Short mmCIF file of all heavy atoms in Angstrom, two decimals:
data_model
loop_
_atom_site.label_atom_id
_atom_site.label_comp_id
_atom_site.label_asym_id
_atom_site.label_seq_id
_atom_site.Cartn_x
_atom_site.Cartn_y
_atom_site.Cartn_z
N ASP A 24 22.44 -24.58 -57.41
CA ASP A 24 23.88 -24.53 -57.14
C ASP A 24 24.15 -25.19 -55.78
O ASP A 24 23.78 -24.66 -54.73
CB ASP A 24 24.34 -23.07 -57.13
CG ASP A 24 25.84 -22.91 -56.96
OD1 ASP A 24 26.50 -23.84 -56.45
OD2 ASP A 24 26.37 -21.85 -57.33
N LYS A 25 24.80 -26.33 -55.80
CA LYS A 25 25.05 -27.08 -54.58
C LYS A 25 25.88 -26.28 -53.58
O LYS A 25 25.62 -26.30 -52.37
CB LYS A 25 25.74 -28.39 -54.91
CG LYS A 25 25.94 -29.30 -53.69
CD LYS A 25 26.55 -30.63 -54.11
CE LYS A 25 26.74 -31.54 -52.88
NZ LYS A 25 27.35 -32.85 -53.28
N ALA A 26 26.87 -25.54 -54.08
CA ALA A 26 27.74 -24.75 -53.19
C ALA A 26 26.94 -23.65 -52.49
O ALA A 26 27.13 -23.40 -51.30
CB ALA A 26 28.89 -24.14 -53.99
N PHE A 27 26.05 -23.00 -53.22
CA PHE A 27 25.19 -21.97 -52.63
C PHE A 27 24.32 -22.56 -51.53
O PHE A 27 24.20 -22.00 -50.43
CB PHE A 27 24.31 -21.32 -53.70
CG PHE A 27 23.24 -20.43 -53.13
CD1 PHE A 27 23.53 -19.12 -52.76
CD2 PHE A 27 21.95 -20.90 -52.94
CE1 PHE A 27 22.54 -18.30 -52.21
CE2 PHE A 27 20.96 -20.09 -52.40
CZ PHE A 27 21.26 -18.79 -52.04
N LYS A 28 23.70 -23.70 -51.81
CA LYS A 28 22.82 -24.33 -50.83
C LYS A 28 23.60 -24.75 -49.58
O LYS A 28 23.12 -24.59 -48.46
CB LYS A 28 22.11 -25.52 -51.45
CG LYS A 28 21.04 -25.14 -52.47
CD LYS A 28 20.41 -26.37 -53.12
CE LYS A 28 19.62 -27.20 -52.12
NZ LYS A 28 18.88 -28.29 -52.79
N ASN A 29 24.80 -25.28 -49.76
CA ASN A 29 25.60 -25.70 -48.61
C ASN A 29 25.98 -24.51 -47.74
O ASN A 29 25.97 -24.61 -46.51
CB ASN A 29 26.85 -26.44 -49.08
CG ASN A 29 26.54 -27.83 -49.60
OD1 ASN A 29 25.51 -28.41 -49.28
ND2 ASN A 29 27.43 -28.38 -50.43
N GLU A 30 26.33 -23.38 -48.39
CA GLU A 30 26.68 -22.19 -47.62
C GLU A 30 25.47 -21.67 -46.86
O GLU A 30 25.57 -21.26 -45.70
CB GLU A 30 27.23 -21.12 -48.55
CG GLU A 30 27.70 -19.86 -47.84
CD GLU A 30 28.32 -18.86 -48.79
OE1 GLU A 30 27.56 -18.13 -49.47
OE2 GLU A 30 29.57 -18.81 -48.86
N LEU A 31 24.31 -21.67 -47.51
CA LEU A 31 23.08 -21.22 -46.87
C LEU A 31 22.75 -22.10 -45.67
O LEU A 31 22.43 -21.60 -44.58
CB LEU A 31 21.94 -21.24 -47.88
CG LEU A 31 20.55 -20.83 -47.36
CD1 LEU A 31 20.56 -19.40 -46.84
CD2 LEU A 31 19.50 -21.00 -48.47
N LYS A 32 22.82 -23.40 -45.84
CA LYS A 32 22.49 -24.33 -44.75
C LYS A 32 23.46 -24.18 -43.57
O LYS A 32 23.07 -24.37 -42.41
CB LYS A 32 22.49 -25.77 -45.26
CG LYS A 32 21.30 -26.10 -46.14
CD LYS A 32 21.22 -27.58 -46.49
CE LYS A 32 22.30 -28.00 -47.43
NZ LYS A 32 22.15 -29.42 -47.86
N LYS A 33 24.71 -23.82 -43.87
CA LYS A 33 25.70 -23.61 -42.81
C LYS A 33 25.25 -22.52 -41.83
O LYS A 33 25.56 -22.58 -40.64
CB LYS A 33 27.04 -23.24 -43.44
CG LYS A 33 28.13 -22.87 -42.43
CD LYS A 33 29.40 -22.42 -43.14
CE LYS A 33 30.44 -21.95 -42.13
NZ LYS A 33 31.68 -21.46 -42.81
N TRP A 34 24.51 -21.53 -42.34
CA TRP A 34 24.09 -20.41 -41.50
C TRP A 34 22.64 -20.51 -41.02
O TRP A 34 22.14 -19.59 -40.39
CB TRP A 34 24.32 -19.09 -42.25
CG TRP A 34 25.77 -18.79 -42.37
CD1 TRP A 34 26.59 -19.02 -43.44
CD2 TRP A 34 26.60 -18.23 -41.35
NE1 TRP A 34 27.87 -18.64 -43.15
CE2 TRP A 34 27.91 -18.15 -41.88
CE3 TRP A 34 26.36 -17.79 -40.04
CZ2 TRP A 34 28.98 -17.64 -41.14
CZ3 TRP A 34 27.42 -17.28 -39.32
CH2 TRP A 34 28.71 -17.21 -39.86
N MET A 35 21.98 -21.62 -41.29
CA MET A 35 20.63 -21.81 -40.78
C MET A 35 20.67 -22.28 -39.33
O MET A 35 21.52 -23.10 -38.96
CB MET A 35 19.88 -22.84 -41.63
CG MET A 35 19.40 -22.31 -42.95
SD MET A 35 18.40 -23.54 -43.83
CE MET A 35 17.79 -22.55 -45.19
N ARG A 36 19.77 -21.76 -38.52
CA ARG A 36 19.65 -22.16 -37.12
C ARG A 36 18.28 -22.83 -36.95
O ARG A 36 17.25 -22.17 -37.08
CB ARG A 36 19.81 -20.94 -36.21
CG ARG A 36 21.10 -20.15 -36.45
CD ARG A 36 22.33 -20.99 -36.20
NE ARG A 36 23.59 -20.29 -36.48
CZ ARG A 36 24.45 -20.64 -37.42
NH1 ARG A 36 24.17 -21.67 -38.21
NH2 ARG A 36 25.57 -19.96 -37.60
N TYR A 37 18.30 -24.13 -36.67
CA TYR A 37 17.13 -24.96 -36.90
C TYR A 37 16.09 -24.99 -35.78
O TYR A 37 14.98 -25.44 -35.99
CB TYR A 37 17.58 -26.38 -37.25
CG TYR A 37 18.28 -26.44 -38.58
CD1 TYR A 37 19.67 -26.44 -38.67
CD2 TYR A 37 17.55 -26.47 -39.76
CE1 TYR A 37 20.31 -26.49 -39.90
CE2 TYR A 37 18.18 -26.52 -41.00
CZ TYR A 37 19.56 -26.53 -41.06
OH TYR A 37 20.20 -26.58 -42.28
N ASN A 38 16.48 -24.55 -34.60
CA ASN A 38 15.49 -24.44 -33.51
C ASN A 38 16.02 -23.44 -32.48
O ASN A 38 17.11 -22.87 -32.65
CB ASN A 38 15.19 -25.81 -32.86
CG ASN A 38 16.44 -26.52 -32.37
OD1 ASN A 38 17.45 -25.89 -32.05
ND2 ASN A 38 16.38 -27.84 -32.30
N TYR A 39 15.26 -23.23 -31.43
CA TYR A 39 15.62 -22.20 -30.45
C TYR A 39 16.98 -22.49 -29.81
O TYR A 39 17.81 -21.59 -29.67
CB TYR A 39 14.54 -22.12 -29.36
CG TYR A 39 14.83 -21.10 -28.29
CD1 TYR A 39 14.59 -19.75 -28.52
CD2 TYR A 39 15.37 -21.48 -27.06
CE1 TYR A 39 14.87 -18.80 -27.54
CE2 TYR A 39 15.65 -20.54 -26.08
CZ TYR A 39 15.39 -19.20 -26.32
OH TYR A 39 15.69 -18.26 -25.36
N LYS A 40 17.21 -23.73 -29.44
CA LYS A 40 18.48 -24.10 -28.80
C LYS A 40 19.65 -23.82 -29.72
O LYS A 40 20.68 -23.25 -29.30
CB LYS A 40 18.46 -25.58 -28.41
CG LYS A 40 19.75 -26.04 -27.73
CD LYS A 40 19.70 -27.53 -27.39
CE LYS A 40 21.00 -27.99 -26.75
NZ LYS A 40 20.97 -29.45 -26.45
N HIS A 41 19.52 -24.18 -30.98
CA HIS A 41 20.58 -23.96 -31.95
C HIS A 41 20.85 -22.47 -32.12
O HIS A 41 22.01 -22.03 -32.16
CB HIS A 41 20.17 -24.59 -33.30
CG HIS A 41 21.26 -24.62 -34.31
ND1 HIS A 41 21.02 -24.78 -35.66
CD2 HIS A 41 22.62 -24.49 -34.19
CE1 HIS A 41 22.17 -24.77 -36.31
NE2 HIS A 41 23.14 -24.60 -35.46
N ALA A 42 19.79 -21.67 -32.20
CA ALA A 42 19.94 -20.22 -32.36
C ALA A 42 20.63 -19.59 -31.15
O ALA A 42 21.46 -18.69 -31.29
CB ALA A 42 18.57 -19.58 -32.58
N MET A 43 20.30 -20.06 -29.95
CA MET A 43 20.91 -19.51 -28.75
C MET A 43 22.38 -19.93 -28.61
O MET A 43 23.17 -19.21 -28.00
CB MET A 43 20.13 -19.96 -27.50
CG MET A 43 18.74 -19.32 -27.38
SD MET A 43 18.81 -17.50 -27.26
CE MET A 43 18.42 -17.03 -28.96
N GLU A 44 22.73 -21.07 -29.16
CA GLU A 44 24.12 -21.51 -29.09
C GLU A 44 25.04 -20.62 -29.92
O GLU A 44 26.17 -20.36 -29.53
CB GLU A 44 24.22 -22.96 -29.61
CG GLU A 44 23.68 -24.00 -28.64
CD GLU A 44 23.64 -25.39 -29.26
OE1 GLU A 44 23.88 -25.49 -30.49
OE2 GLU A 44 23.36 -26.35 -28.54
N THR A 45 24.56 -20.15 -31.05
CA THR A 45 25.41 -19.39 -31.96
C THR A 45 25.15 -17.88 -31.90
O THR A 45 26.06 -17.09 -32.13
CB THR A 45 25.18 -19.85 -33.41
OG1 THR A 45 23.82 -19.59 -33.78
CG2 THR A 45 25.47 -21.34 -33.55
N LYS A 46 23.89 -17.49 -31.63
CA LYS A 46 23.48 -16.07 -31.58
C LYS A 46 23.79 -15.34 -32.89
O LYS A 46 24.12 -14.15 -32.91
CB LYS A 46 24.10 -15.35 -30.38
CG LYS A 46 23.66 -15.92 -29.04
CD LYS A 46 24.15 -15.09 -27.89
CE LYS A 46 23.79 -15.72 -26.54
NZ LYS A 46 22.35 -15.84 -26.35
N ASP A 47 23.72 -16.08 -33.98
CA ASP A 47 23.87 -15.48 -35.31
C ASP A 47 23.12 -16.38 -36.29
O ASP A 47 22.39 -17.29 -35.90
CB ASP A 47 25.35 -15.33 -35.69
CG ASP A 47 26.10 -16.65 -35.75
OD1 ASP A 47 25.45 -17.73 -35.69
OD2 ASP A 47 27.35 -16.65 -35.84
N GLY A 48 23.28 -16.13 -37.56
CA GLY A 48 22.67 -16.98 -38.56
C GLY A 48 21.19 -16.72 -38.77
O GLY A 48 20.59 -15.82 -38.18
N LEU A 49 20.58 -17.54 -39.62
CA LEU A 49 19.18 -17.39 -40.00
C LEU A 49 18.32 -18.28 -39.10
O LEU A 49 18.27 -19.49 -39.26
CB LEU A 49 19.00 -17.78 -41.48
CG LEU A 49 19.79 -16.92 -42.46
CD1 LEU A 49 19.81 -17.56 -43.85
CD2 LEU A 49 19.22 -15.51 -42.52
N SER A 50 17.64 -17.65 -38.17
CA SER A 50 16.84 -18.39 -37.20
C SER A 50 15.65 -19.08 -37.87
O SER A 50 15.08 -18.57 -38.84
CB SER A 50 16.33 -17.43 -36.13
OG SER A 50 15.33 -18.03 -35.34
N TYR A 51 15.30 -20.24 -37.35
CA TYR A 51 14.12 -20.98 -37.82
C TYR A 51 12.88 -20.10 -37.85
O TYR A 51 12.02 -20.21 -38.73
CB TYR A 51 13.86 -22.19 -36.91
CG TYR A 51 13.43 -21.80 -35.51
CD1 TYR A 51 12.09 -21.79 -35.15
CD2 TYR A 51 14.36 -21.40 -34.56
CE1 TYR A 51 11.69 -21.41 -33.87
CE2 TYR A 51 13.98 -21.00 -33.30
CZ TYR A 51 12.64 -21.01 -32.97
OH TYR A 51 12.25 -20.61 -31.70
N SER A 52 12.79 -19.15 -36.92
CA SER A 52 11.58 -18.33 -36.79
C SER A 52 11.42 -17.36 -37.96
O SER A 52 10.29 -17.02 -38.32
CB SER A 52 11.60 -17.55 -35.47
OG SER A 52 12.72 -16.72 -35.39
#
């Protein structure tokens, strides 16, 4: 499901800097 994947990717945090910028979402770790 393309819509499901797009929503999931919206909340992925791809590295430490990205995770610290948002302080939410699914961290790379």
Side-chain angles (χ1 to χ4, degrees):
D24 184 338
K25 185 176 180 180
F27 170 82
K28 289 177 66 173
N29 287 338
E30 183 176 80
L31 178 61
K32 288 187 289 185
K33 175 184 175 182
W34 289 98
M35 284 185 172
R36 306 298 178 244
Y37 292 98
N38 55 26
Y39 179 79
K40 180 181 178 181
H41 189 198
M43 290 300 100
E44 286 173 351
T45 63
K46 298 187 184 298
D47 61 11
L49 299 168
S50 168
Y51 67 98
S52 59

